[in-house]
């Protein structure tokens, strides 16, 4: 069983080309659902948004005409918790990715109304929408830019410890939060998105060891691009032997099939797989000692040996021990057809006798091409090729 760890890929970035039909050597198309899952994990589930919102510095809220027409001030307002965060993704053809985050922000602070001081809790619904695109591609990296960040506040619920709350306090809080929160939240989203971009680009720029034979270096080959249906990524895959020599492969354009109901479609050129297989399949020469009696056609094999072995070789006749040696000759090749994959191996078959005085007598030297059926599957983020004799 041969295993190729092709991608530890998670995906991000959107843009920027009107063409998505033709992609180069290593390419993938990612559905909005897959992107949404990845970004939700990176931004929400891992606590990245909560962590950076925790450092929000909210200005004091000052107002006139609070309870009993006394001045109102709210100080020390800070984030307690981000409740029920949700993230959604929409692909914008020719623009990039539209990211929307909805959440309830639980805030807490001190409220002074006249001479009465007590704790105040504020629960505010926020909806943040940002258009994201990638630009400035260079050496496998891109810069993320957020455009048109819009933050809209929804329902605001306010609770004082005493339970005494006037409509004017509610109006003061709503007005102040509407004026200040958008200017605070959009920069936080910008920081979070750039951090996620750095994390995810790391998965698109990775060196994967292939046993002790060499490495495969993946990196982004060009700016990502979006259609209304998927985000496309073009990748370079440099296959290197130990010592640094690169095994060349064809990276000319090829078409990807449609996503349909799939989250991800990955396209690998046959020539890239051939380069990778030359690292994976490095079989040392195999020698199998045997005698004619070990074969079902023993008598016929015995006759063949008698003909092949020189008549004057008294130590080689009869039941002299045979050995068969198999040596890999050249690089393996994979042939891809519709619903079928075949790996071709060229081997040298050597049938010989080791004589009593030490020298080896070759009886047969044969070059053979073996066709192996390749059963392709995915397991643990790896492309698995199960090989069996055809």
């Amino acid at each position: 069983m041969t295993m190729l760890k092709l991608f530890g890929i998670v995906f991000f970035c959107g843009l920027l080309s009107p063409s998505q039909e033709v992609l180069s050597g290593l390419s993938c198309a990612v559905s909005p659902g897959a992107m949404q899952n990845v970004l939700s994990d990176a931004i929400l589930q891992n606590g990245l948004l909560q962590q950076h919102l925790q450092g929000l510095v909210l200005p004091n809220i000052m107002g006139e005409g609070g309870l009993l027409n006394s001045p109102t001030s709210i100080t020390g307002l800070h984030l307690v918790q981000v409740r029920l965060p949700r993230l959604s993704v929409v692909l914008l053809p020719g623009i990039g990715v539209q990211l929307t985050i909805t959440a309830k922000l639980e805030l807490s602070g001190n409220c002074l109304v006249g001479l009465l001081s007590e704790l105040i809790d504020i629960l505010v619904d926020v909806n943040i929408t940002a258009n994201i695109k990638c630009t400035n591609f260079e050496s496998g990296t891109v810069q993320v830019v957020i455009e048109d960040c819009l933050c809209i506040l929804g329902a605001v619920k306010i609770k004082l410890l005493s339970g005494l709350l006037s409509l004017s306090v509610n109006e003061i809080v709503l007005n102040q939060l509407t004026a200040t929160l958008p200017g605070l939240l959009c920069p936080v989203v910008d920081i979070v998105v750039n951090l996620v971009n750095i994390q995810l680009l790391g998965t698109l720029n990775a060196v994967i060891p292939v046993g002790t034979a060499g490495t495969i270096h993946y990196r982004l080959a060009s700016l990502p691009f979006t259609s209304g249906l998927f985000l496309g990524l073009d990748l370079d895959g440099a296959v290197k032997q130990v010592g640094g020599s690169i095994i060349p492969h064809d990276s000319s354009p090829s078409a990807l099939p449609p996503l349909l109901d799939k989250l991800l479609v990955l396209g690998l050129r046959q020539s890239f797989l051939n380069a990778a297989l030359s690292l994976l399949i490095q079989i040392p020469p195999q020698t199998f000692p045997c005698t004619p009696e070990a074969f079902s056609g023993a008598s016929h094999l015995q006759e063949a040996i008698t003909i092949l072995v020189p008549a004057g070789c008294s130590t080689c006749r009869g039941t002299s021990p045979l050995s068969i040696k198999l040596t890999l000759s050249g690089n393996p090749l994979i042939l891809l057809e519709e619903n079928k994959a075949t790996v071709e191996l060229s081997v040298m078959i050597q049938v010989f006798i080791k004589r009593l005085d030490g020298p080896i007598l070759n009886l047969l030297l044969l070059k053979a091409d073996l066709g192996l059926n390749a059963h392709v599957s995915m397991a643990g983020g790896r492309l698995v090729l199960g090989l069996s004799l055809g």
Side-chain angles (χ1 to χ4, degrees):
M1 193 72 75
T2 300
M3 302 186 76
L4 248 181
K5 186 169 183 179
L6 291 175
F7 294 100
I9 284 183
V10 276
F11 304 95
F12 190 47
C13 295
L15 199 93
L16 258 179
S17 166
S19 169
Q20 70 277 358
E21 296 296 328
V22 177
L23 307 168
S24 63
L26 280 155
S27 308
C28 59
V30 189
S31 73
M35 288 188 60
Q36 185 167 304
N37 292 341
V38 168
L39 292 177
S40 182
D41 286 345
I43 294 175
L44 303 183
Q45 305 306 319
N46 293 340
L48 192 63
L49 182 65
Q50 169 88 25
Q51 173 189 341
H52 284 79
L53 286 178
Q54 208 72 51
L56 274 181
V57 178
L58 295 167
N60 295 335
I61 297 176
M62 312 298 292
E64 298 291 336
L67 188 64
L68 303 177
N69 292 319
S70 300
T72 301
S73 66
I74 299 173
T75 59
L77 203 58
H78 61 278
L79 180 78
V80 176
Q81 184 182 4
V82 179
R83 294 188 186 178
L84 303 174
R86 291 185 177 85
L87 181 148
S88 61
V89 168
V90 175
L91 300 180
L92 306 176
I95 298 174
V97 175
Q98 185 177 83
L99 178 71
T100 300
I101 298 174
T102 60
K104 295 179 181 290
L105 302 185
E106 182 182 346
L107 310 173
S108 183
N110 299 310
C111 181
L112 179 64
V113 180
L115 299 177
L116 181 63
S117 177
E118 57 181 315
L119 294 176
I120 185 170
D121 293 323
I122 302 171
L123 190 65
V124 53
D125 291 349
V126 297
N127 184 299
I128 308 167
T129 300
N131 292 342
I132 305 170
K133 70 176 183 180
C134 293
T135 185
N136 297 337
F137 172 81
E138 184 178 357
S139 301
T141 64
V142 292
Q143 179 184 354
V144 167
V145 177
I146 289 188
E147 298 181 340
D148 304 323
C149 181
L150 178 64
C151 180
I152 299 175
L153 302 191
V156 177
K157 296 181 181 178
I158 304 172
K159 184 175 72 172
L160 288 172
L161 188 61
S162 65
L164 298 174
L165 183 66
S166 67
L167 291 176
S168 58
V169 171
N170 192 83
E171 185 178 349
I172 290 170
V173 170
L174 179 58
N175 290 339
Q176 290 288 334
L177 290 182
T178 301
T180 59
L181 263 185
L184 297 173
L185 294 179
C186 280
V188 170
V189 171
D190 183 68
I191 292 171
V192 167
V193 166
N194 275 279
L195 287 174
V196 170
N197 180 54
I198 293 171
Q199 293 172 7
L200 300 184
L201 277 178
T203 68
L204 298 177
N205 193 343
V207 178
I208 309 298
V210 183
T212 58
T215 60
I216 298 177
H217 183 191
Y218 301 103
R219 71 174 186 173
L220 200 62
S222 60
L223 278 169
F225 52 86
T226 57
S227 72
L229 300 176
F230 68 88
L231 177 142
L233 296 172
D234 228 351
L235 303 172
D236 282 331
V239 183
K240 293 185 178 182
Q241 294 175 313
V242 171
S245 60
I246 295 178
I247 302 173
H249 63 86
D250 181 15
S251 60
S252 58
S254 58
L256 280 178
L259 270 173
L260 298 178
D261 58 344
K262 304 294 191 301
L263 290 177
L264 168 70
V265 170
L266 177 65
L268 303 175
R269 288 191 63 85
Q270 180 173 293
S271 58
F272 168 76
L273 288 176
N274 282 332
L277 283 177
S278 64
L279 293 182
L280 287 164
I281 303 179
Q282 295 194 2
I283 305 171
Q286 304 290 317
T287 301
F288 307 95
C290 56
T291 61
E293 288 76 12
F295 295 89
S296 58
S299 60
H300 298 290
L301 183 59
Q302 182 69 47
E303 293 173 6
I305 293 171
T306 303
I307 294 172
L308 287 169
V309 176
C313 181
S314 59
T315 61
C316 302
R317 290 182 178 279
T319 59
S320 298
L322 276 179
S323 293
I324 298 177
K325 185 176 183 180
L326 300 179
T327 306
L328 190 63
S329 174
N331 291 325
L333 294 176
I334 188 167
L335 302 177
L336 302 178
E337 304 172 72
E338 188 172 355
N339 299 320
K340 183 181 179 182
T342 305
V343 173
E344 290 189 350
L345 295 178
S346 292
V347 296
M348 194 67 71
I349 303 173
Q350 179 186 5
V351 181
F352 64 92
I353 294 174
K354 187 172 183 181
R355 295 186 290 188
L356 296 179
D357 56 358
I360 291 175
L361 176 65
N362 286 322
L363 305 180
L364 180 66
L365 197 60
L366 177 67
K367 184 179 179 181
D369 293 326
L370 303 180
L372 305 178
N373 292 328
H375 305 281
V376 183
S377 60
M378 292 293 296
R382 290 170 168 81
L383 175 67
V384 179
L385 300 178
L387 304 180
S388 60
L389 278 173

